[in-house]
Amino acid sequence: MNNLTQLYQEIKGFAESHLMINEFILISSEDELAQREIDYRSMVMLPLEANLSRELNNPVYTLEFGIILIDRTIVGDELAYINSTEENIFVMGQLQDFLTQQGKDVEFGDVELTSSVSEDYNITIAMTDFTVNIARKPYNRGIDI
């Protein structure tokens, strides 16, 4: 299944070449994110679920990922907070457009907006889940047993 590798490379390439994103991180759990030093604005990708289907003789993998955008602003600057949130939503929309332009069968869910406060910064966060359908071989494969 090389298509998953291709999807990962495309999303990583998008993040690394995007002028509004400073780093791309792939994590295996949300706990792992808490252990990391963040270079704001960061795009975080988290694999969530996979479904295998042969419904209607159309074999596909349906994969679900979480995407998180994390930025920071100075505490007390309300306009900077609003601008950061707006930019997070904008970048999320650009990712959706980019994947669609790459011919990916993707569906993005609602974008959840949240924030937290540290000593000197407001942390703005935009999170969404998206699903992508990736074609499988159209015939039953041999099984190594």
Side-chain angles (χ1 to χ4, degrees):
M1 182 171 119
N2 293 333
N3 295 339
L4 179 56
T5 302
Q6 180 183 358
L7 176 69
Y8 164 76
Q9 291 172 337
E10 287 173 347
I11 293 172
K12 182 178 181 185
F14 169 85
E16 290 177 343
S17 65
H18 200 289
L19 298 177
M20 296 171 71
I21 299 172
N22 291 323
E23 77 175 331
F24 173 79
I25 304 169
L26 177 69
I27 59 172
S28 58
S29 72
E30 289 183 26
D31 293 337
E32 186 180 332
L33 186 57
Q35 309 292 326
R36 296 199 57 137
E37 182 89 15
I38 302 291
D39 183 14
Y40 300 96
R41 173 175 289 126
S42 294
M43 176 179 277
V44 180
M45 182 174 165
L46 172 67
L48 298 173
E49 289 184 356
N51 182 13
L52 309 175
S53 174
R54 288 199 173 276
E55 193 172 308
L56 301 175
N57 202 24
N58 183 24
V60 296
Y61 299 105
T62 300
L63 304 164
E64 186 174 341
F65 296 93
I67 291 287
I68 306 167
L69 288 167
I70 306 170
D71 196 17
R72 71 177 178 190
T73 64
I74 296 172
V75 168
D77 189 341
E78 294 174 356
L79 183 58
Y81 170 78
I82 292 298
N83 285 336
S84 176
T85 300
E86 181 177 47
E87 290 171 358
N88 283 343
I89 296 168
F90 175 75
V91 171
M92 197 73 76
Q94 286 191 319
L95 176 62
Q96 180 184 35
D97 293 346
F98 172 78
L99 291 173
T100 301
Q101 290 170 0
Q102 300 306 306
K104 301 294 185 239
D105 180 9
V106 296
E107 184 175 326
F108 277 64
D110 293 338
V111 177
E112 181 181 340
L113 304 174
T114 188
S115 65
S116 65
V117 178
S118 69
E119 290 181 21
D120 300 325
Y121 298 101
N122 283 329
I123 308 298
T124 60
I125 302 168
M127 307 181 272
T128 191
D129 293 346
F130 76 93
T131 57
V132 60
N133 292 316
I134 297 176
R136 293 172 61 193
K137 303 277 186 199
Y139 54 85
N140 290 329
R141 312 250 334 169
I143 300 171
D144 294 333
I145 52 175

